[in-house]
């Protein structure tokens, strides 16, 4: 367990630096998939404008409601991704929050990070991204994966939303 936690922490740190290096582009997101034994991490980095329709501090009731609705979508991973049904969702983490009006970044570009942690008793060969169905301004997601048998990169779109690897 200690090695799994260390692996996931190091990978998450590495992925955060990778994301920072590429910058923020509307319509484009990132997905990182990693495996260590039976533990899987799926980490999205997505522009908040593509998920909420805005990036600034919420000013209206409808903008506050959009944040609450997105948080509810995040709580149901089946609206975001599809893969092996035998996997057990362990936790969901996201950076969705209301930017403070008192910070310099209140009106800056914001990304939302979303992480799903799963325990999977069996291997699986694909992950499909379902959020293209409702986040229609996303044109593509740069996906990268690292599992016990394979690693790679692929550009995902609404027409091709699935990563496939072989064990």
């Amino acid at each position: 367990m200690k090695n799994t936690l260390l692996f996931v922490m190091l990978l998450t740190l590495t992925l955060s630096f990778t994301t920072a290096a590429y910058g923020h582009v509307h319509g484009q997101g990132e997905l990182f998939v990693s495996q260590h034994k039976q533990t899987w991490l799926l980490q999205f980095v997505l522009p908040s404008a593509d998920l909420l329709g805005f990036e600034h501090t919420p000013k209206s009731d409808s903008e506050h409601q959009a944040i609450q609705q997105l948080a509810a979508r995040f709580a149901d991973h089946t609206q975001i991704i599809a893969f092996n049904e035998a996997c057990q969702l362990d936790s969901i983490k996201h950076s969705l929050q209301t930017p403070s009006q008192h910070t310099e970044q209140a009106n800056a570009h914001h990304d939302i990070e979303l992480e799903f942690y799963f325990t999977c008793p069996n291997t699986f060969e694909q992950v499909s991204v379902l959020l293209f169905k409702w986040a229609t301004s996303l044109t593509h997601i740069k996906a990268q994966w690292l599992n016990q048998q394979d690693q790679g990169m692929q550009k995902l779109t609404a027409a091709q939303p699935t990563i496939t690897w072989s064990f």
Side-chain angles (χ1 to χ4, degrees):
M1 180 67 177
K2 197 181 239 185
N3 289 338
T4 300
L5 183 58
L6 179 61
F7 172 78
V8 170
M9 288 173 41
L10 288 173
L11 183 62
T12 301
L13 180 62
T14 302
L15 299 176
S16 296
F17 286 129
T18 302
T19 300
Y22 287 113
H24 173 93
V25 180
H26 291 190
Q28 299 177 17
E30 296 179 64
L31 168 62
F32 305 100
V33 181
S34 61
Q35 175 202 12
H36 181 70
K37 298 182 182 177
Q38 293 183 332
T39 301
W40 288 81
L41 165 63
L42 288 81
Q43 179 186 36
F44 287 90
V45 180
L46 304 161
S48 61
D50 293 308
L51 300 181
L52 292 169
F54 62 92
E55 293 182 305
H56 57 268
T57 302
K59 294 178 175 67
S60 67
D61 289 342
S62 64
E63 290 175 343
H64 286 283
Q65 185 177 12
I67 289 174
Q68 293 173 346
Q69 289 172 341
L70 185 57
R73 278 189 191 245
F74 287 172
D76 179 6
H77 74 275
T78 63
Q79 293 192 36
I80 313 293
I81 54 172
F83 66 108
N84 188 336
E85 293 178 11
C87 295
Q88 175 68 39
L89 178 64
D90 295 324
S91 68
I92 300 172
K93 297 178 183 178
H94 60 76
S95 64
L96 186 61
Q97 56 189 345
T98 304
S100 170
Q101 294 179 354
H102 304 292
T103 68
E104 294 177 20
Q105 298 181 354
N107 293 311
H109 294 284
H110 294 280
D111 286 326
I112 296 172
E113 292 187 21
L114 173 61
E115 298 176 354
F116 296 99
Y117 294 86
F118 289 91
T119 299
C120 301
N122 305 314
T123 60
F124 57 94
E125 297 181 359
Q126 67 181 30
V127 174
S128 295
V129 175
L130 305 178
L131 61 82
F132 286 112
K133 293 178 180 180
W134 54 268
T136 57
S137 64
L138 276 176
T139 59
H140 70 271
I141 293 175
K142 295 180 237 174
Q144 298 178 40
W145 65 90
L146 173 64
N147 59 42
Q148 292 179 342
Q149 300 295 323
D150 196 13
Q151 63 182 7
M153 298 175 64
Q154 182 178 332
K155 182 177 172 180
L156 303 176
T157 64
Q160 175 48 43
T162 302
I163 303 169
T164 303
W165 54 81
S166 57
F167 278 93

